[in-house]
Amino acid sequence: MNVLELSEQEIGRRQSLLELRSMGIDPYPAAEFPTNAFSTEIRENVECGMWNVEGEEEHEVVIAGRMMSRRVMGKASFAELQDSKGRIQVYITRDDICPGDNKDLYNNVFKRLLDIGDFIGVKGKVFRTQTGEISVHASELKLLSKSLKPLPIVKYKDGVAYDKFDDPELRYRQRYVDLVVNEGVKDTFLQRATVIRTLRKVLDEAGYTEVETPTLQMIAGGASARPFITHFNALDQDMYMRIATELYLKRLIVGGFEGVYEIGKNFRNEGMDRNHNPEFTCMELYVQYKDYNWMMSFTEKLLETICIAVNGKPEREIDGNIVSFKAPYRRLPILEAIQEKTGFDCNGKTEEEIRAFCLSKGMDVDETMGKGKLIDELFGEFCEGTFIQPTFITDYPVEMSPLTKMHRSKPGLTERFELMVNGKELANAYSELNDPIDQEERFVEQMKLADKGDDEAMIIDQDFLRALQYGMPPTSGIGIGIDRLVMLMTGKTFIQEVLFFPQMKPEKKIPQSTPAEWAEIGVSEDWVPVLRKAGFNLISNIKDEKPQGLQQKIGDIVKKYKLELQKPSVDEVAEWINKSNEQ
């Protein structure tokens, strides 16, 4: 990397790196550094009375982590060490870590060559300072990894925070920094792990089998969504990133499994916003001999269990609302929900009548939308956002549910529910369609929608139809969006807050003229980084510069960074400026 691309702090850290190596200190040692305690364990042992650090009893620990602050006071210093669990203070004295005549480890390494963000290892005894702070009195100190970029450490003055790392785009792009410097971020992801661990535990204890199905699929099936398309070179065939795991999991029910589930990534080539990421985690579960009524009861107990595991109680504050996940939840048919919110009864209405009502309400609908799509749009526009407490929206029209069994007592409807929480869909479940003839007819209807221009309509999966023809037992299935579930359980309002690395737009780059373009006006490649460092990224930037002034700026950078370059003459610089004006 060119030195001109580095900040002054980065240059200083690299110089420290070279000096450490010249002293025979490896800034990136390969050997194991065995620790025996974490910061939180030390505090807990002292605070609960297991370790009496005020008496004669001594407790020696070996800890490691990032140095997050340092206060040097002559021959003694304090540092704050951050490990994977928390932070603890370390007390360091010159003569304790340098018992011999050579005091370089303290005077040069610790005081001068270590930087905030470096990983260090410490061996020492636990004690309380005069102010009562639980600390470790170091007897040994070792550099474990040198940090070459400075962390954005928050500073406080008169109660005001400075240098906060709180820009959302930077936080999401540089999650590794966000996790280090911002309190609570790591806790969110530990809670996410608790959500998934509890979910898996409940399903395993119920006797269901966790499985894996293909991510690359020849047909994007199991949901209505626009897929990502890639190319499989070995087969010379386009493939789809899966939009759902449903059809493969049902094949396993055909094959004789009692219940199967998968927790994995799905991919939908659609928009990004506070509730959607094109790559998302979903859990799908299928259980034989069950129906959607059983699945509603199972789901509400599952979510209550997860909420208690994460929050210690079945309630959670979300967007200022206290949402209760305690079973049971309200159950409301979708057509009744629409009528409740709009006064319009979709039951028995034709596609044209429903479209006319949508248009009368100023909705953006068109001729490509079938009856099911129109009802879905109505529900989304007037109903979905109103359900704050967990609510099962049930009995969807058949046009909206191509993989769902017909309702046993309500013609034209299906045995399907969606779970709404805090105004958003969390889960989607069915009494699964297992009639292969009916399923084929539903697929054909979907293809008609595709012909009308619906790019989210399902494609016929002939192998799945063949599997159904071998016989699938009565089955209930559900899909739960894990990312949204974590948002609810942690009270986060943006999906990016619960994804380690959410999808982002490409980073904006400062427009720059290329070295070849600079060469056209006589600037050699050696001078391009210098001009950029001086703020001249484009050739047009130097058009209005005075030759003497530009030469002075170049000379200042050469001197400051001790570059082995001969400063160009005023005449050479004038020629650059003249040619830039000719372009």
Side-chain angles (χ1 to χ4, degrees), residues 213-229:
T213 60
T215 301
L216 283 177
Q217 301 181 356
M218 292 189 179
I219 293 174
S224 297
R226 185 182 298 115
F228 284 94
I229 303 174

Side-chain angles (χ1 to χ4, degrees), residues 69-88:
S69 67
R70 174 178 51 191
R71 288 180 290 133
V72 177
M73 300 173 292
K75 298 177 182 180
S77 299
F78 285 98
E80 187 177 40
L81 185 144
Q82 177 173 298
D83 61 19
S84 62
K85 305 290 186 181
R87 295 188 181 190
I88 194 163

